[in-house]
Amino acid sequence: MTPPEHGILGRVAGAVTGKVVDAVPVEEILEHVDLDAVLDQVDVNHLLDRIDVNRFLDRVDLDRLLARADVNALLAGVDLEDLVQRAGIPDVVASTTGDLLGRTLDVARRQVVGLDAVVTGLVDRLLRRRGPAPLGPVLLVGER
């Protein structure tokens, strides 16, 4: 409806505009419109304030978007060696390897001590030795 302050002039302009739009193709009218001038009058911040970002993001198909991403191009500028060094990965690997080696040696030592006890018991039995087993070599622990 035409605002009352425009009166008869507003009604005539509205009627003429309606007739022109009906008679002339929209494409031909738009050829005479300076779109840059129209867009310069748009307040982009006002438009952005009206956007519901969460609703917009709900409509985005992330799988489709990520499928279009060129991961090789994204990583082309990344210095992986520097990234690995900054992350401390070599230190973690060295520490883990050292810990694993130390634990493996501890297990091996326990197995050797256990095997030594079994072999000593068998030798004592074969030689028919009686009494408690010595604590170690005589030169190390002395005689009893």
Side-chain angles (χ1 to χ4, degrees):
M1 182 168 181
T2 305
E5 65 267 5
H6 292 285
I8 191 153
L9 187 59
R11 285 194 300 271
V12 170
V16 170
T17 304
K19 297 290 182 193
V20 170
V21 170
D22 289 341
V24 180
V26 174
E27 293 80 14
E28 193 172 321
I29 296 172
L30 289 177
E31 285 178 9
H32 299 287
V33 175
D34 183 5
L35 289 179
D36 288 331
V38 172
L39 290 175
D40 284 342
Q41 295 179 20
V42 175
D43 183 2
V44 176
N45 289 324
H46 179 70
L47 286 176
L48 290 175
D49 289 342
R50 295 180 62 193
I51 294 174
D52 182 358
V53 176
N54 290 326
R55 195 169 129 221
F56 173 73
L57 289 176
D58 287 342
R59 296 176 64 186
V60 174
D61 183 1
L62 287 179
D63 292 330
R64 183 173 170 226
L65 182 65
L66 290 174
R68 295 175 57 188
D70 185 0
V71 176
N72 291 328
L74 290 171
L75 293 176
V78 176
D79 183 1
L80 289 178
E81 173 119 8
D82 181 53
L83 186 63
V84 167
Q85 292 297 327
R86 285 180 31 206
I89 292 173
D91 297 334
V92 171
V93 170
S95 174
T96 303
T97 304
D99 291 346
L100 182 61
L101 183 61
R103 282 183 271 162
T104 302
L105 286 174
D106 288 345
V107 169
R109 286 184 196 123
R110 282 193 293 261
Q111 294 299 324
V112 168
V113 168
L115 183 61
D116 182 50
V118 170
V119 169
T120 301
L122 286 174
V123 169
D124 286 347
R125 196 176 265 175
L126 288 173
L127 297 177
R128 298 177 195 258
R129 291 186 193 159
R130 302 269 183 227
L135 296 174
V138 175
L139 294 175
L140 286 178
V141 295
E143 291 191 41
R144 286 195 243 181

